Amino acid sequence: MINKNTQLCISMAKKAGNFGCSIHNAAFKKMNLNFIYKSFSVEEGELEQAVGGIRALGIRGAGITMPHKINVLEYVDDVSQEVSVIGAANTLVNDEGRLKAYNTDAYSAYTVLSRYTGCGVVHILGNGGYSKAVQYASKQHHYDINVITRENWHTISDIKEGVIFNCTPVKDITVNKNVSFIDCLIDTKSGQELSLFQASKQFKLYTGTEFPLGYMKENFQQILEENNPEKR
């Protein structure tokens, strides 16, 4: 039940999505926490006012997606260690009006990349805010990095081994069968897993409570279907 003590968490993107609402609200309910989560569309020219609203309204936390992951750093008070290196954030936490920026994308990328010890090279597609988090995570594993942008996109077909990590909106990328392919897109299996891992870190930052990861994995598709507004 929503009341005066309910804590609000939000997300800010150019176009609001439903994934974060589905995942966080299901986790809040599972853990019996008096929190709610709502996504908002925020244009680039509105970012400063939106961040000001977080302070003014006492919003507990915010997920930040493109195109705001770099520019949002202009409006916060503190940054975490990983954000100071990456130069981009995807999470804000509000402690009594003081905003600190974190990057939980780095945590999720690090967790998934842990499976590829000995891969040698991580070929990272794209060089935006999300790519920078993956580059950071790869360096934490001491993997070599090869960043591929539109200028050398054609070289993807030359890669015969290692890991390719797609950090772009490009779909249906063809890679060699001997290459391990990680896709950040939410409609892919790896993208959904990455999103769950990063949400688990956000959840802990917002609430101080461990995310019910096992429950969320087990009931993932059901949670998304139950919270799909287009099916209502």
Side-chain angles (χ1 to χ4, degrees), residues 36-77:
I36 59 171
Y37 191 99
K38 171 74 171 67
S39 58
F40 290 91
S41 297
V42 177
E43 294 291 338
E44 292 183 61
E46 301 170 337
L47 182 60
E48 183 176 7
Q49 296 95 315
V51 174
I54 294 173
R55 284 194 176 91
L57 296 174
I59 293 170
R60 173 57 179 159
I64 309 298
T65 58
M66 297 303 293
H68 305 310
K69 291 186 176 184
I70 295 174
N71 292 338
V72 75
L73 298 182
E74 298 177 24
Y75 311 115
V76 302
D77 303 298

mmCIF file of all heavy atoms in Angstrom, residues 36-77:
data_model
loop_
_atom_site.group_PDB
_atom_site.id
_atom_site.type_symbol
_atom_site.label_atom_id
_atom_site.label_comp_id
_atom_site.label_asym_id
_atom_site.label_seq_id
_atom_site.Cartn_x
_atom_site.Cartn_y
_atom_site.Cartn_z
ATOM 1 N N ILE A 36 8.327 2.132 -4.344
ATOM 2 C CA ILE A 36 7.765 1.971 -5.682
ATOM 3 C C ILE A 36 8.768 2.523 -6.695
ATOM 4 O O ILE A 36 9.634 3.338 -6.359
ATOM 5 C CB ILE A 36 6.404 2.665 -5.872
ATOM 6 C CG1 ILE A 36 6.521 4.182 -5.602
ATOM 7 C CG2 ILE A 36 5.338 2.026 -5.001
ATOM 8 C CD1 ILE A 36 5.269 4.939 -5.991
ATOM 9 N N TYR A 37 8.624 2.084 -7.938
ATOM 10 C CA TYR A 37 9.548 2.463 -9.009
ATOM 11 C C TYR A 37 8.734 2.919 -10.212
ATOM 12 O O TYR A 37 7.770 2.262 -10.610
ATOM 13 C CB TYR A 37 10.408 1.262 -9.386
ATOM 14 C CG TYR A 37 11.591 1.554 -10.285
ATOM 15 C CD1 TYR A 37 12.871 1.697 -9.757
ATOM 16 C CD2 TYR A 37 11.435 1.664 -11.665
ATOM 17 C CE1 TYR A 37 13.965 1.942 -10.575
ATOM 18 C CE2 TYR A 37 12.520 1.910 -12.487
ATOM 19 C CZ TYR A 37 13.779 2.053 -11.941
ATOM 20 O OH TYR A 37 14.859 2.295 -12.752
ATOM 21 N N LYS A 38 9.124 4.047 -10.794
ATOM 22 C CA LYS A 38 8.416 4.610 -11.941
ATOM 23 C C LYS A 38 9.430 5.157 -12.936
ATOM 24 O O LYS A 38 10.407 5.804 -12.546
ATOM 25 C CB LYS A 38 7.490 5.741 -11.473
ATOM 26 C CG LYS A 38 6.855 6.572 -12.571
ATOM 27 C CD LYS A 38 5.761 5.830 -13.287
ATOM 28 C CE LYS A 38 4.993 6.752 -14.240
ATOM 29 N NZ LYS A 38 5.799 7.237 -15.384
ATOM 30 N N SER A 39 9.214 4.890 -14.218
ATOM 31 C CA SER A 39 10.119 5.394 -15.259
ATOM 32 C C SER A 39 9.583 6.703 -15.839
ATOM 33 O O SER A 39 8.369 6.913 -15.914
ATOM 34 C CB SER A 39 10.278 4.357 -16.373
ATOM 35 O OG SER A 39 9.023 4.033 -16.946
ATOM 36 N N PHE A 40 10.504 7.562 -16.276
ATOM 37 C CA PHE A 40 10.148 8.859 -16.838
ATOM 38 C C PHE A 40 10.943 9.119 -18.118
ATOM 39 O O PHE A 40 12.122 8.758 -18.206
ATOM 40 C CB PHE A 40 10.434 9.984 -15.845
ATOM 41 C CG PHE A 40 9.525 10.004 -14.652
ATOM 42 C CD1 PHE A 40 9.878 9.309 -13.499
ATOM 43 C CD2 PHE A 40 8.329 10.696 -14.682
ATOM 44 C CE1 PHE A 40 9.049 9.312 -12.390
ATOM 45 C CE2 PHE A 40 7.487 10.708 -13.576
ATOM 46 C CZ PHE A 40 7.844 10.015 -12.425
ATOM 47 N N SER A 41 10.299 9.782 -19.069
ATOM 48 C CA SER A 41 10.984 10.257 -20.272
ATOM 49 C C SER A 41 11.547 11.642 -19.987
ATOM 50 O O SER A 41 10.812 12.531 -19.523
ATOM 51 C CB SER A 41 10.010 10.329 -21.454
ATOM 52 O OG SER A 41 9.509 9.056 -21.773
ATOM 53 N N VAL A 42 12.836 11.822 -20.258
ATOM 54 C CA VAL A 42 13.499 13.096 -19.985
ATOM 55 C C VAL A 42 14.323 13.487 -21.205
ATOM 56 O O VAL A 42 15.236 12.765 -21.604
ATOM 57 C CB VAL A 42 14.415 12.999 -18.741
ATOM 58 C CG1 VAL A 42 15.159 14.310 -18.516
ATOM 59 C CG2 VAL A 42 13.606 12.617 -17.504
ATOM 60 N N GLU A 43 14.002 14.635 -21.785
ATOM 61 C CA GLU A 43 14.778 15.129 -22.917
ATOM 62 C C GLU A 43 16.122 15.674 -22.421
ATOM 63 O O GLU A 43 16.273 16.029 -21.251
ATOM 64 C CB GLU A 43 14.005 16.235 -23.641
ATOM 65 C CG GLU A 43 12.716 15.765 -24.316
ATOM 66 C CD GLU A 43 12.984 14.860 -25.504
ATOM 67 O OE1 GLU A 43 14.104 14.925 -26.062
ATOM 68 O OE2 GLU A 43 12.075 14.099 -25.880
ATOM 69 N N GLU A 44 17.082 15.737 -23.326
ATOM 70 C CA GLU A 44 18.427 16.175 -22.938
ATOM 71 C C GLU A 44 18.419 17.564 -22.308
ATOM 72 O O GLU A 44 19.140 17.831 -21.350
ATOM 73 C CB GLU A 44 19.358 16.120 -24.150
ATOM 74 C CG GLU A 44 19.643 14.692 -24.617
ATOM 75 C CD GLU A 44 20.627 14.627 -25.761
ATOM 76 O OE1 GLU A 44 21.774 15.067 -25.573
ATOM 77 O OE2 GLU A 44 20.255 14.127 -26.841
ATOM 78 N N GLY A 45 17.592 18.458 -22.830
ATOM 79 C CA GLY A 45 17.536 19.813 -22.294
ATOM 80 C C GLY A 45 16.821 19.920 -20.962
ATOM 81 O O GLY A 45 16.823 20.987 -20.332
ATOM 82 N N GLU A 46 16.215 18.839 -20.508
ATOM 83 C CA GLU A 46 15.456 18.835 -19.257
ATOM 84 C C GLU A 46 16.211 18.131 -18.122
ATOM 85 O O GLU A 46 15.700 18.039 -16.992
ATOM 86 C CB GLU A 46 14.112 18.120 -19.462
ATOM 87 C CG GLU A 46 13.234 18.758 -20.525
ATOM 88 C CD GLU A 46 12.034 17.903 -20.869
ATOM 89 O OE1 GLU A 46 12.086 16.668 -20.642
ATOM 90 O OE2 GLU A 46 11.043 18.451 -21.367
ATOM 91 N N LEU A 47 17.425 17.641 -18.393
ATOM 92 C CA LEU A 47 18.123 16.797 -17.426
ATOM 93 C C LEU A 47 18.429 17.532 -16.119
ATOM 94 O O LEU A 47 18.216 16.984 -15.029
ATOM 95 C CB LEU A 47 19.414 16.257 -18.047
ATOM 96 C CG LEU A 47 20.225 15.310 -17.163
ATOM 97 C CD1 LEU A 47 19.410 14.083 -16.780
ATOM 98 C CD2 LEU A 47 21.512 14.883 -17.885
ATOM 99 N N GLU A 48 18.900 18.759 -16.202
ATOM 100 C CA GLU A 48 19.239 19.492 -14.984
ATOM 101 C C GLU A 48 18.013 19.672 -14.094
ATOM 102 O O GLU A 48 18.078 19.461 -12.870
ATOM 103 C CB GLU A 48 19.839 20.860 -15.328
ATOM 104 C CG GLU A 48 20.270 21.637 -14.093
ATOM 105 C CD GLU A 48 20.945 22.958 -14.436
ATOM 106 O OE1 GLU A 48 20.967 23.334 -15.628
ATOM 107 O OE2 GLU A 48 21.461 23.610 -13.505
ATOM 108 N N GLN A 49 16.876 20.036 -14.696
ATOM 109 C CA GLN A 49 15.653 20.206 -13.911
ATOM 110 C C GLN A 49 15.182 18.884 -13.326
ATOM 111 O O GLN A 49 14.694 18.838 -12.185
ATOM 112 C CB GLN A 49 14.541 20.797 -14.788
ATOM 113 C CG GLN A 49 14.836 22.202 -15.313
ATOM 114 C CD GLN A 49 15.435 22.192 -16.698
ATOM 115 O OE1 GLN A 49 16.348 21.404 -16.988
ATOM 116 N NE2 GLN A 49 14.908 23.041 -17.575
ATOM 117 N N ALA A 50 15.343 17.802 -14.085
ATOM 118 C CA ALA A 50 14.920 16.488 -13.602
ATOM 119 C C ALA A 50 15.752 16.072 -12.388
ATOM 120 O O ALA A 50 15.217 15.555 -11.396
ATOM 121 C CB ALA A 50 15.042 15.450 -14.715
ATOM 122 N N VAL A 51 17.060 16.292 -12.447
ATOM 123 C CA VAL A 51 17.923 15.959 -11.313
ATOM 124 C C VAL A 51 17.578 16.842 -10.119
ATOM 125 O O VAL A 51 17.554 16.379 -8.967
ATOM 126 C CB VAL A 51 19.408 16.095 -11.687
ATOM 127 C CG1 VAL A 51 20.296 15.880 -10.467
ATOM 128 C CG2 VAL A 51 19.776 15.083 -12.777
ATOM 129 N N GLY A 52 17.257 18.092 -10.379
ATOM 130 C CA GLY A 52 16.820 18.978 -9.308
ATOM 131 C C GLY A 52 15.552 18.472 -8.645
ATOM 132 O O GLY A 52 15.366 18.615 -7.426
ATOM 133 N N GLY A 53 14.674 17.872 -9.456
ATOM 134 C CA GLY A 53 13.442 17.301 -8.926
ATOM 135 C C GLY A 53 13.709 16.136 -7.984
ATOM 136 O O GLY A 53 12.962 15.929 -7.016
ATOM 137 N N ILE A 54 14.754 15.367 -8.263
ATOM 138 C CA ILE A 54 15.123 14.255 -7.370
ATOM 139 C C ILE A 54 15.444 14.794 -5.980
ATOM 140 O O ILE A 54 14.985 14.256 -4.966
ATOM 141 C CB ILE A 54 16.324 13.477 -7.943
ATOM 142 C CG1 ILE A 54 15.932 12.771 -9.244
ATOM 143 C CG2 ILE A 54 16.860 12.471 -6.931
ATOM 144 C CD1 ILE A 54 17.092 12.114 -9.970
ATOM 145 N N ARG A 55 16.210 15.880 -5.947
ATOM 146 C CA ARG A 55 16.543 16.495 -4.659
ATOM 147 C C ARG A 55 15.299 17.073 -3.987
ATOM 148 O O ARG A 55 15.031 16.830 -2.807
ATOM 149 C CB ARG A 55 17.563 17.618 -4.862
ATOM 150 C CG ARG A 55 18.981 17.168 -5.125
ATOM 151 C CD ARG A 55 19.932 18.368 -4.968
ATOM 152 N NE ARG A 55 21.314 17.966 -5.119
ATOM 153 C CZ ARG A 55 21.977 17.959 -6.267
ATOM 154 N NH1 ARG A 55 21.339 18.288 -7.376
ATOM 155 N NH2 ARG A 55 23.248 17.589 -6.321
ATOM 156 N N ALA A 56 14.541 17.862 -4.758
ATOM 157 C CA ALA A 56 13.407 18.590 -4.189
ATOM 158 C C ALA A 56 12.329 17.663 -3.643
ATOM 159 O O ALA A 56 11.710 17.954 -2.617
ATOM 160 C CB ALA A 56 12.815 19.526 -5.236
ATOM 161 N N LEU A 57 12.108 16.526 -4.305
ATOM 162 C CA LEU A 57 11.030 15.614 -3.921
ATOM 163 C C LEU A 57 11.499 14.485 -3.010
ATOM 164 O O LEU A 57 10.692 13.654 -2.597
ATOM 165 C CB LEU A 57 10.380 15.030 -5.177
ATOM 166 C CG LEU A 57 9.687 16.056 -6.084
ATOM 167 C CD1 LEU A 57 9.210 15.382 -7.369
ATOM 168 C CD2 LEU A 57 8.532 16.733 -5.373
ATOM 169 N N GLY A 58 12.792 14.441 -2.742
ATOM 170 C CA GLY A 58 13.303 13.391 -1.875
ATOM 171 C C GLY A 58 13.236 12.014 -2.493
ATOM 172 O O GLY A 58 13.092 11.009 -1.784
ATOM 173 N N ILE A 59 13.346 11.961 -3.817
ATOM 174 C CA ILE A 59 13.356 10.668 -4.508
ATOM 175 C C ILE A 59 14.612 9.911 -4.095
ATOM 176 O O ILE A 59 15.716 10.450 -4.118
ATOM 177 C CB ILE A 59 13.298 10.880 -6.033
ATOM 178 C CG1 ILE A 59 11.932 11.473 -6.403
ATOM 179 C CG2 ILE A 59 13.547 9.580 -6.790
ATOM 180 C CD1 ILE A 59 11.840 11.958 -7.835
ATOM 181 N N ARG A 60 14.435 8.653 -3.721
ATOM 182 C CA ARG A 60 15.545 7.892 -3.138
ATOM 183 C C ARG A 60 16.649 7.582 -4.137
ATOM 184 O O ARG A 60 17.837 7.659 -3.826
ATOM 185 C CB ARG A 60 15.021 6.590 -2.529
ATOM 186 C CG ARG A 60 16.083 5.618 -2.043
ATOM 187 C CD ARG A 60 17.013 6.238 -1.029
ATOM 188 N NE ARG A 60 18.010 5.263 -0.577
ATOM 189 C CZ ARG A 60 19.165 5.601 -0.023
ATOM 190 N NH1 ARG A 60 19.484 6.881 0.158
ATOM 191 N NH2 ARG A 60 20.010 4.669 0.368
ATOM 192 N N GLY A 61 16.280 7.175 -5.346
ATOM 193 C CA GLY A 61 17.293 6.804 -6.320
ATOM 194 C C GLY A 61 16.766 6.879 -7.733
ATOM 195 O O GLY A 61 15.551 6.948 -7.956
ATOM 196 N N ALA A 62 17.685 6.857 -8.683
ATOM 197 C CA ALA A 62 17.298 6.955 -10.095
ATOM 198 C C ALA A 62 18.232 6.132 -10.965
ATOM 199 O O ALA A 62 19.458 6.202 -10.803
ATOM 200 C CB ALA A 62 17.316 8.415 -10.557
ATOM 201 N N GLY A 63 17.646 5.377 -11.870
ATOM 202 C CA GLY A 63 18.405 4.720 -12.918
ATOM 203 C C GLY A 63 18.549 5.681 -14.082
ATOM 204 O O GLY A 63 17.589 6.357 -14.459
ATOM 205 N N ILE A 64 19.739 5.760 -14.649
ATOM 206 C CA ILE A 64 20.028 6.710 -15.733
ATOM 207 C C ILE A 64 20.402 5.928 -16.981
ATOM 208 O O ILE A 64 21.329 5.113 -16.951
ATOM 209 C CB ILE A 64 21.189 7.647 -15.348
ATOM 210 C CG1 ILE A 64 20.943 8.301 -13.977
ATOM 211 C CG2 ILE A 64 21.396 8.695 -16.427
ATOM 212 C CD1 ILE A 64 19.722 9.177 -13.915
ATOM 213 N N THR A 65 19.685 6.159 -18.066
ATOM 214 C CA THR A 65 20.017 5.492 -19.317
ATOM 215 C C THR A 65 20.337 6.536 -20.385
ATOM 216 O O THR A 65 20.291 7.740 -20.138
ATOM 217 C CB THR A 65 18.880 4.565 -19.775
ATOM 218 O OG1 THR A 65 17.675 5.327 -19.929
ATOM 219 C CG2 THR A 65 18.621 3.475 -18.754
ATOM 220 N N MET A 66 20.690 6.032 -21.567
ATOM 221 C CA MET A 66 21.092 6.928 -22.646
ATOM 222 C C MET A 66 19.943 7.847 -23.023
ATOM 223 O O MET A 66 18.793 7.421 -23.005
ATOM 224 C CB MET A 66 21.563 6.114 -23.853
ATOM 225 C CG MET A 66 22.794 5.284 -23.560
ATOM 226 S SD MET A 66 24.195 6.259 -22.957
ATOM 227 C CE MET A 66 24.585 7.240 -24.404
ATOM 228 N N PRO A 67 20.267 9.114 -23.327
ATOM 229 C CA PRO A 67 21.609 9.665 -23.580
ATOM 230 C C PRO A 67 22.191 10.442 -22.397
ATOM 231 O O PRO A 67 22.995 11.354 -22.586
ATOM 232 C CB PRO A 67 21.340 10.605 -24.742
ATOM 233 C CG PRO A 67 19.978 11.180 -24.391
ATOM 234 C CD PRO A 67 19.211 10.060 -23.722
ATOM 235 N N HIS A 68 21.799 10.099 -21.179
ATOM 236 C CA HIS A 68 22.116 10.938 -20.022
ATOM 237 C C HIS A 68 23.282 10.449 -19.165
ATOM 238 O O HIS A 68 23.633 11.091 -18.182
ATOM 239 C CB HIS A 68 20.875 11.045 -19.139
ATOM 240 C CG HIS A 68 19.654 11.533 -19.846
ATOM 241 N ND1 HIS A 68 19.648 12.669 -20.624
ATOM 242 C CD2 HIS A 68 18.387 11.022 -19.902
ATOM 243 C CE1 HIS A 68 18.427 12.859 -21.123
ATOM 244 N NE2 HIS A 68 17.656 11.864 -20.702
ATOM 245 N N LYS A 69 23.884 9.306 -19.485
ATOM 246 C CA LYS A 69 24.840 8.674 -18.572
ATOM 247 C C LYS A 69 26.102 9.494 -18.326
ATOM 248 O O LYS A 69 26.720 9.377 -17.263
ATOM 249 C CB LYS A 69 25.232 7.290 -19.103
ATOM 250 C CG LYS A 69 24.105 6.271 -19.038
ATOM 251 C CD LYS A 69 24.598 4.892 -19.441
ATOM 252 C CE LYS A 69 23.506 3.856 -19.296
ATOM 253 N NZ LYS A 69 23.989 2.490 -19.580
ATOM 254 N N ILE A 70 26.485 10.317 -19.276
ATOM 255 C CA ILE A 70 27.677 11.145 -19.116
ATOM 256 C C ILE A 70 27.306 12.530 -18.597
ATOM 257 O O ILE A 70 27.879 13.020 -17.618
ATOM 258 C CB ILE A 70 28.448 11.240 -20.449
ATOM 259 C CG1 ILE A 70 28.979 9.857 -20.849
ATOM 260 C CG2 ILE A 70 29.600 12.238 -20.339
ATOM 261 C CD1 ILE A 70 29.633 9.801 -22.212
ATOM 262 N N ASN A 71 26.304 13.158 -19.198
ATOM 263 C CA ASN A 71 25.939 14.523 -18.823
ATOM 264 C C ASN A 71 25.392 14.635 -17.409
ATOM 265 O O ASN A 71 25.492 15.695 -16.779
ATOM 266 C CB ASN A 71 24.917 15.083 -19.817
ATOM 267 C CG ASN A 71 25.511 15.293 -21.200
ATOM 268 O OD1 ASN A 71 26.728 15.412 -21.341
ATOM 269 N ND2 ASN A 71 24.667 15.321 -22.216
ATOM 270 N N VAL A 72 24.810 13.558 -16.882
ATOM 271 C CA VAL A 72 24.238 13.626 -15.534
ATOM 272 C C VAL A 72 25.300 13.925 -14.480
ATOM 273 O O VAL A 72 24.994 14.473 -13.404
ATOM 274 C CB VAL A 72 23.500 12.303 -15.201
ATOM 275 C CG1 VAL A 72 24.492 11.182 -14.896
ATOM 276 C CG2 VAL A 72 22.526 12.497 -14.038
ATOM 277 N N LEU A 73 26.560 13.638 -14.784
ATOM 278 C CA LEU A 73 27.633 13.863 -13.818
ATOM 279 C C LEU A 73 27.834 15.346 -13.513
ATOM 280 O O LEU A 73 28.424 15.698 -12.490
ATOM 281 C CB LEU A 73 28.937 13.245 -14.324
ATOM 282 C CG LEU A 73 28.913 11.723 -14.522
ATOM 283 C CD1 LEU A 73 30.271 11.226 -14.989
ATOM 284 C CD2 LEU A 73 28.494 11.010 -13.240
ATOM 285 N N GLU A 74 27.324 16.215 -14.374
ATOM 286 C CA GLU A 74 27.436 17.659 -14.131
ATOM 287 C C GLU A 74 26.581 18.106 -12.956
ATOM 288 O O GLU A 74 26.806 19.184 -12.392
ATOM 289 C CB GLU A 74 27.017 18.437 -15.384
ATOM 290 C CG GLU A 74 27.867 18.187 -16.610
ATOM 291 C CD GLU A 74 27.343 18.939 -17.827
ATOM 292 O OE1 GLU A 74 26.650 19.967 -17.637
ATOM 293 O OE2 GLU A 74 27.615 18.491 -18.959
ATOM 294 N N TYR A 75 25.597 17.263 -12.559
ATOM 295 C CA TYR A 75 24.589 17.714 -11.597
ATOM 296 C C TYR A 75 24.577 16.923 -10.296
ATOM 297 O O TYR A 75 23.635 17.027 -9.527
ATOM 298 C CB TYR A 75 23.211 17.646 -12.260
ATOM 299 C CG TYR A 75 23.174 18.292 -13.628
ATOM 300 C CD1 TYR A 75 22.924 17.537 -14.771
ATOM 301 C CD2 TYR A 75 23.444 19.650 -13.775
ATOM 302 C CE1 TYR A 75 22.913 18.131 -16.030
ATOM 303 C CE2 TYR A 75 23.441 20.253 -15.027
ATOM 304 C CZ TYR A 75 23.183 19.479 -16.150
ATOM 305 O OH TYR A 75 23.176 20.065 -17.390
ATOM 306 N N VAL A 76 25.630 16.135 -10.050
ATOM 307 C CA VAL A 76 25.690 15.345 -8.819
ATOM 308 C C VAL A 76 26.744 15.922 -7.873
ATOM 309 O O VAL A 76 27.551 16.772 -8.258
ATOM 310 C CB VAL A 76 25.984 13.858 -9.112
ATOM 311 C CG1 VAL A 76 24.922 13.279 -10.032
ATOM 312 C CG2 VAL A 76 27.378 13.681 -9.710
ATOM 313 N N ASP A 77 26.718 15.443 -6.630
ATOM 314 C CA ASP A 77 27.645 15.943 -5.615
ATOM 315 C C ASP A 77 28.874 15.058 -5.453
ATOM 316 O O ASP A 77 29.963 15.559 -5.149
ATOM 317 C CB ASP A 77 26.916 16.039 -4.275
ATOM 318 C CG ASP A 77 25.692 16.928 -4.358
ATOM 319 O OD1 ASP A 77 25.844 18.122 -4.650
ATOM 320 O OD2 ASP A 77 24.568 16.418 -4.160
#
